[in-house]
């Protein structure tokens, strides 16, 4: 039976896949056709569209930790202030991700207007 993975484990796996994507996209010929770009950008836009919810839930998870179990390495501030600071930064990240997602969707739609007219491999 497979055990359920922790969020941090899934995040590590996702980061590993993005590193693999970076390696793959850096190779010559990674995108032989405009549709390859269109589809890749679309999937990445979908990924970004999911991240805000993940970050909201991350903040909620941090806020759900009982204050009796939290401390701050330096006083002040209090754990509550640190939780608020994390929530603020996550909110900024969410806004930036939403803007990036909008731009990726626009790039996807623009890439859809490109048509390949070159030779077909193997023909």
């Amino acid at each position: 039976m497979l055990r359920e993975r922790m969020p941090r484990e899934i995040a590590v796996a996702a980061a590993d896949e993005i590193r693999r994507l970076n390696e793959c996209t850096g190779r010559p010929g990674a995108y032989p056709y405009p549709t390859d770009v269109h589809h890749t950008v679309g999937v990445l836009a979908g990924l970004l569209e999911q991240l805000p919810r993940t970050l909201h839930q991350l903040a909620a998870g941090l806020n759900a930790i009982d204050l009796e179990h939290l401390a701050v390495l330096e006083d002040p501030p209090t754990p509550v202030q640190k939780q608020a600071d994390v929530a603020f930064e996550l909110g900024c990240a969410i806004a930036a991700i939403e803007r990036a997602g909008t731009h990726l969707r626009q790039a996807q739609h623009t890439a859809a207007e490109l048509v390949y007219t070159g030779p077909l491999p193997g023909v």
Side-chain angles (χ1 to χ4, degrees), residues 47-103:
L47 178 131
L48 286 187
E49 289 164 358
Q50 296 298 311
L51 275 178
R53 181 177 179 191
T54 300
L55 296 179
H56 279 292
Q57 291 170 338
L58 192 152
L62 178 61
N63 288 333
I65 296 173
D66 191 328
L67 288 177
E68 291 181 10
H69 302 289
L70 291 176
V72 177
L73 296 177
E74 300 173 12
D75 285 323
T78 64
V80 171
Q81 181 59 52
K82 287 295 185 182
Q83 287 171 311
D85 293 346
V86 170
F88 173 80
E89 294 301 335
L90 290 174
C92 292
I94 288 166
I97 289 166
E98 288 172 343
R99 285 190 305 277
T102 298
H103 289 288

